[in-house]
Amino acid sequence: MTTLPWRTAWTIARRDLSARFRGLRLLLVCLFLGVGAIAAIGTLTGSIESELGARGREILGGDIELKVWQRGFTGAETAALARLGKVSQGLRMQAIASRGEATAPVALKAVDGAWPLYGRLELVDGRRVGAPPPGTVWIARGTAARLGVGKGGRIDLGGVPVTVGGILLADPEQMSEGFALGDTAVVPLDLPARAGLTTPGAMYRSVVRVRFADPLRDPDPVVDRLKDRFGESAFDTRTRKGASPATGRFVSRMGEFLVLVGLAALVIAGIGIGGGVSSYLEARRTSIATLKVLGATSGDIARIYLLQVGAAALAGSLAGLAAGVLVTPLLASALQSLLPVQTGFTVSPVALATAAAYGLLVALVFAAPPLVRARGWPAMALMRSRVSPLAADRKALALPVGLGLAAIVALALANAAQPLVTLGFLAGSAVMLGLLALIGLGIRKLAARLPRPRGPMLRAGLANLHRPGAQTGALVTALGFGLSAFVLIAAVQTSLEANIRRTVPDRAPDFFVLDVPRDKAADFRDAVTQTVPGAAVKLVPNLRGRILAYGPKEAMTKVSSLGKDLPDGAWALRGERGLTYSVAVPEGSTVTSGKWWPEIYRGEPLVSLDQDLAATIGLKVGDYVTVSVLGVERTARIAALRRIDWDSLGFNYVLVFSPNALADAPHNLAATIEVPGGAATAGLLPRLVRAFPSSSVIETGSLLRDARDLLDQMSAAILAAASVAVLAGLAVLLGAIAAARASRTYDTVILRVLGASRRQLLVLQMAEYGIICAVLAVVALAAGSAMAWAVIVELFDFTWLPDWPRILAVLGAGLALILGFALAGSLPLLRAKPARALREL
């Protein structure tokens, strides 16, 4: 028998295909939701990463940047950089701005006349400026509001009076500067020295940026040559290619996570796709049988309806892609402080191609079973499919479903920054969906074996859960996954908030103070206790250093040899870190291995490490660590490993040395101040600013507010992705109603003929979907709570403190939405005319 050519098959398919895709609208909706979510997330992530790359010079402020702590650049280093092009030098540090009794912490940026090498600073009055004139400062709007000052006003910085020359609107280098305890304040290069902020031991960074004479010059070889000449540990370096690595990593990983959540939603939508295609083919069973009677082969049937489904899938995917592109500016605006990059209307071909590929592959996987069922049965079997349901050929399904699933996994791994995490997420989602499918099957089996209720409507509703063609399994799987995600988010968010409320007020200090002079420690303590009687003051030595090497003394591993491939959790090896020394075990630490040094110790320099870092990089007691402090290498033997209580928000140093290892290095002290409950602190900051102008005082309240804001925005991003999963589940619900419409219409008509009222039929629908919602409530609450517990306790190591009323409210809202959609989707059945329906059956 001759097979129809593709062109002829498309002619038949096109004639039978409605211009408005009647019958396949569920497939369009499901793909629109899933593809649109992935396209929006991918486009936003791609546009941010593209902007980071395109604006690398402007964000970094040069082609290359070099930084050193607590010292200036040597003459040789400066001369070598000057040969590369134009050079701009600067300083970065924490400081306090004051005006009368009002104070504000600022991130002080001291710049020379060549700054900025790229772009210009923008002020709120529209001016585009460079370095401020002598005696002048550019300040942020937050600082101006806190101090109650405007342009032309006078403030003090580190005890030096300056004039506010303008208010900052946008600083293009903000992302590259990193985290700071305060808003930016730009001052001339000489001000920190005049204010005493760069005395030996002070915490400051010297920054040099270079604009190449040749703009096309590759910065990476230049940096490599500088490190070869001056040493791998001489300075921290960055190039325009990685102007904001922390932002890039965050955007990439957050985007990857949201894409995976979107993919899970698309898989849920796939269940609806399968139901929609089944319903569509069921409505065309007579046409399929007629084609077979006229000589069409199984392959012809497959081609015709594959083309129809493919056309609908392509239309739904294209609509989703368009929606994803259009919604990207709205997402960027909603997450502007979480993802601090201005993005507009952008198109990312890679992101759109990936989203379309996901959508079409999911459509293939879930549309294959009903298509295989339709192609493989003879005409008479199709004619009597209502009483003899079609069964799928499992062997024929293996190829399209297996290849589709393999392609989805391969595509996800190919775009993954962390393949193992991605694989774990996919495996976990598969297990979750599998468990929900088993629960759905169990519900059908249990409903079939339960005693029949006496009420006829409740009895009919229970029967609908296990009758032939019932969609109970698909509904529990799809809707249960979405609702579980809602419970997960609500439980994690409320537990984190409860941990913050419970832990921070009791254990976090009220103030952090940096750069307290060692010779004025007693004066500092007196100033605090005289102003706030009963306040607890803790002072610790505070230095900066970089880990250069670690391991057994005769076979130490150089950090420089690891390149960028640092082990997960080895963040302390990246750049310079805080260091301290102590006679006793620091508060908040517990020795878990080894022995602490005695109070009076003059032997070999010793160090204690965080046990998690030691486990990550394979260190044990007796090994050695070499650090660079102010350009001097110091090696110490590991005497003890500690478990650090990070929740205390106090001084938690990864590396704590014996006093004889670091005490001779120039350094200042850091302090924490804990105020008794109810004590007035209004006069503390002004007194400390006047008495210690070179010190920086930071209140913890603003930091915690920023942390909560960040948490809320991350929760909003995840909630938005989870909402797509719930919407996809609702689409599956409507698809299940549509797929069973013929049989439901038959049942409804028979009941109407037997005298059932519309109210009774509505009660029947309420009973069926009410039972499903009750089961979904239990499943979602158990599954979502279990996953949230794992995240809070095992991942974050916090206490499990969920707010059950809020969680139940979120779950209840989701269930009410599902029940409302279920009843709305069933209303057309109640309007069916018995005479007309009986003629069409």
Side-chain angles (χ1 to χ4, degrees), residues 274 277-278 281 363-375 391-393 397 400-401:
V277 173
S278 293
L281 295 177
L364 169 67
V365 169
F366 286 92
L371 285 172
V372 169
R373 284 198 301 269
R375 71 179 285 276
D393 182 355
L397 281 177
V401 173

Side-chain angles (χ1 to χ4, degrees), residues 53 73 77 80 114 119 179 356 394 431 698 778 794:
F73 283 81
E77 291 169 341
F179 176 74
R394 298 186 183 276
V431 170
I698 300 103
V778 175
E794 299 298 329

Side-chain angles (χ1 to χ4, degrees), residues 487-488 491 779-794 800 804:
V487 171
L488 166 67
V779 170
L781 189 61
S785 299
M787 289 187 290
W789 177 88
V791 170
I792 292 294
V793 176
E794 299 298 329
W800 175 237
W804 290 112

Side-chain angles (χ1 to χ4, degrees), residues 801-828:
L801 297 172
D803 185 343
W804 290 112
R806 282 178 60 183
I807 295 172
L808 293 176
V810 170
L811 178 60
L815 292 171
L817 189 65
I818 290 172
L819 195 57
F821 269 82
L823 294 179
S826 301
L827 289 179

Side-chain angles (χ1 to χ4, degrees), residues 456-467:
M457 294 297 104
L458 184 59
R459 184 166 64 249
L462 183 64
N464 282 342
L465 294 178
H466 63 83
R467 62 181 293 169

